[in-house]
């Protein structure tokens, strides 16, 4: 099994820090789901981005060969 990294942009870190615990868990589950769906990743290199939706949240992210950078977070 390969290990992948997840980096959060400053904007994503700020949003995540301001969310209540339940919403933080929801966003982290959305990130984990996006991380496991390699076929949905944009082309590696950071020039393209993708959106992944969870039950009550969404993330935009860029992909690299070793993981993803979460660019923004939204939560309902």
């Amino acid at each position: 099994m390969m290990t992948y990294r997840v980096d959060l942009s400053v904007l994503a870190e700020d949003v995540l820090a301001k969310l209540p615990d339940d919403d933080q868990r929801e966003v982290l589950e959305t990130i984990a789901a996006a991380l496991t769906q390699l076929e949905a990743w944009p082309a590696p290199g950071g020039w393209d981005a993708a959106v992944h939706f969870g039950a009550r949240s969404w993330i935009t992210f860029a992909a690299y060969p070793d993981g993803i950078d979460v660019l923004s977070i939204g939560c309902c």
Side-chain angles (χ1 to χ4, degrees), residues 6-13 16 28 31 68-71 73:
V6 175
D7 286 330
L8 299 178
S9 70
V10 172
L11 174 65
E13 285 180 1
L16 190 61
L28 293 175
I31 292 170
I68 64 173
D69 286 346
V70 177
L71 306 171
I73 293 171

Side-chain angles (χ1 to χ4, degrees), residues 1-57:
M1 183 167 99
M2 184 159 176
T3 302
Y4 293 102
R5 67 170 179 81
V6 175
D7 286 330
L8 299 178
S9 70
V10 172
L11 174 65
E13 285 180 1
D14 289 346
V15 170
L16 190 61
K18 292 176 184 174
L19 292 174
D21 289 346
D22 287 344
D23 292 340
Q24 286 182 7
R25 251 186 306 284
E26 162 66 23
V27 169
L28 293 175
E29 288 172 5
T30 301
I31 292 170
L35 193 60
T36 63
Q37 296 177 1
L38 299 171
E39 69 281 356
W41 287 17
W47 292 103
D48 296 314
V51 178
H52 187 85
F53 294 93
R56 296 182 340 265
S57 65

